[in-house]
Amino acid sequence: APAPNQYHGPPVTFLAGIHGPGDAHTWHDDGFRNMLKQLNMPVKFMSDADRFRWYPEFHKPGLNLVRVFWKPDPNRRKTAQQAWDEDIRDGVMNFYKQGARNFEVHNEPRLHHEGMGHQWHDGAQFGDFLRELMLIIKANCPGVQLWYPGESPGEPWTNQFAFSRPAYKKVSDLCDGLCMHAYAGETNDEKTAVAKIVGQVRDFHQAMGVWNKPIIVSECSVNRAATPEYRARVYANAARQMSQIPGVLGVFWYISHWN
């Protein structure tokens, strides 16, 4: 039997990447794409609009992820099938046809604009919705790998697990891994910012009670008020430390301002 409280999932090789921009039109800017080419890092995509056009050029085989993008209608509760048919299907299928196989299914489901309070009211209800949606994706996209969605930590960051644990229990058999978000607010204390980010990542398997699945830190950053140079130093130091945590496949730096 595996040792308790130690990672015993698939072997991973850590990589650091960049979270793609929140607006799809940025991808149409030549300068933006040239910058990404210079960085030559893995890119996380969102599944909406025409972003799939750039997936073959900018994804990297060692670390790749597409977030299943959905903005729920607060005035109309939808089933998973309705959400798929009306809002999600085309984006996911476009990426799948381009070769994408790793999908983070939805995003920060505790937030109102992501569904909390109108599509679901607690983690168990979200888990029921998520299970239906994951089964639909698997039926339409053979060979996909599905990742449980990340949550922003908040203060204290442990608040998220009262929601996430019961939700994850409903879908654990469908998930190939888990995503998490790690953030720090310190804008002039590099050591504290790094320690906060790395501490959240180090403790995540324990907090979720899951030791047999890899983790992707699908959003990570320090407060946007910090200077770019400061943020770069924090990210470089955090990446070095995260790469030593068993089971962490990679991190995507969340860049607030692409200009």
Side-chain angles (χ1 to χ4, degrees), residues 57-233:
E57 185 177 358
F58 287 100
H59 86 283
K60 299 288 185 291
L63 177 64
N64 54 86
L65 191 65
V66 178
R67 183 214 291 176
V68 175
F69 185 90
W70 184 47
K71 286 298 179 207
D73 179 354
N75 300 308
R76 179 187 163 211
R77 189 174 185 177
K78 296 186 181 183
T79 65
Q81 188 67 55
Q82 288 169 330
W84 170 259
D85 291 340
E86 299 173 19
D87 310 314
I88 296 172
R89 178 186 59 215
D90 291 349
V92 169
M93 295 307 300
N94 283 333
F95 271 94
Y96 182 76
K97 291 170 185 174
Q98 294 283 11
R101 293 296 181 266
N102 286 289
F103 289 88
E104 176 185 16
V105 188
H106 202 40
N107 178 63
E108 299 197 352
R110 286 183 305 148
L111 298 181
H112 179 77
H113 63 271
E114 302 282 11
M116 186 67 167
H118 49 92
Q119 303 296 326
W120 43 80
H121 296 84
D122 55 39
Q125 285 186 9
F126 172 65
D128 290 335
F129 174 91
L130 184 61
R131 182 172 187 85
E132 289 185 43
L133 182 57
M134 284 183 163
L135 287 171
I136 292 167
I137 295 172
K138 280 183 171 287
N140 285 272
C141 305
V144 295
Q145 298 194 67
L146 302 182
W147 293 73
Y148 185 81
E151 294 270 13
S152 280
E155 297 284 352
W157 82 286
T158 49
N159 284 353
Q160 64 180 282
F161 299 109
F163 183 97
S164 296
R165 286 193 200 101
Y168 177 74
K169 284 180 181 177
K170 303 268 188 154
V171 297
S172 60
D173 60 313
L174 303 177
C175 292
D176 294 275
L178 298 93
C179 291
M180 66 171 292
H181 296 171
Y183 284 102
E186 286 73 18
T187 59
N188 56 10
D189 183 343
E190 291 176 32
K191 190 173 181 180
T192 299
V194 170
K196 184 172 284 189
I197 288 170
V198 174
Q200 291 168 14
V201 178
R202 191 177 301 282
D203 293 342
F204 186 78
H205 275 130
Q206 177 93 40
M208 283 294 285
V210 178
W211 293 97
N212 64 337
K213 304 278 177 71
I215 291 168
I216 293 176
V217 187
S218 57
E219 287 184 21
C220 188
S221 78
V222 292
N223 191 292
R224 69 180 67 186
T227 66
E229 294 80 8
Y230 171 92
R231 282 189 275 176
R233 291 192 299 270

Side-chain angles (χ1 to χ4, degrees), residues 17-21 26-27 29-45 54 57-60 253 255 258:
I18 294 287
H19 192 299
T26 302
W27 279 101
D29 182 272
D30 291 341
F32 168 77
R33 294 197 310 280
N34 285 331
M35 178 190 69
L36 282 190
K37 286 176 186 172
Q38 294 295 318
L39 288 172
N40 195 32
M41 296 172 75
V43 177
K44 176 186 171 181
F45 284 84
W54 291 281
E57 185 177 358
F58 287 100
H59 86 283
K60 299 288 185 291
W253 306 122
I255 307 300
W258 277 103

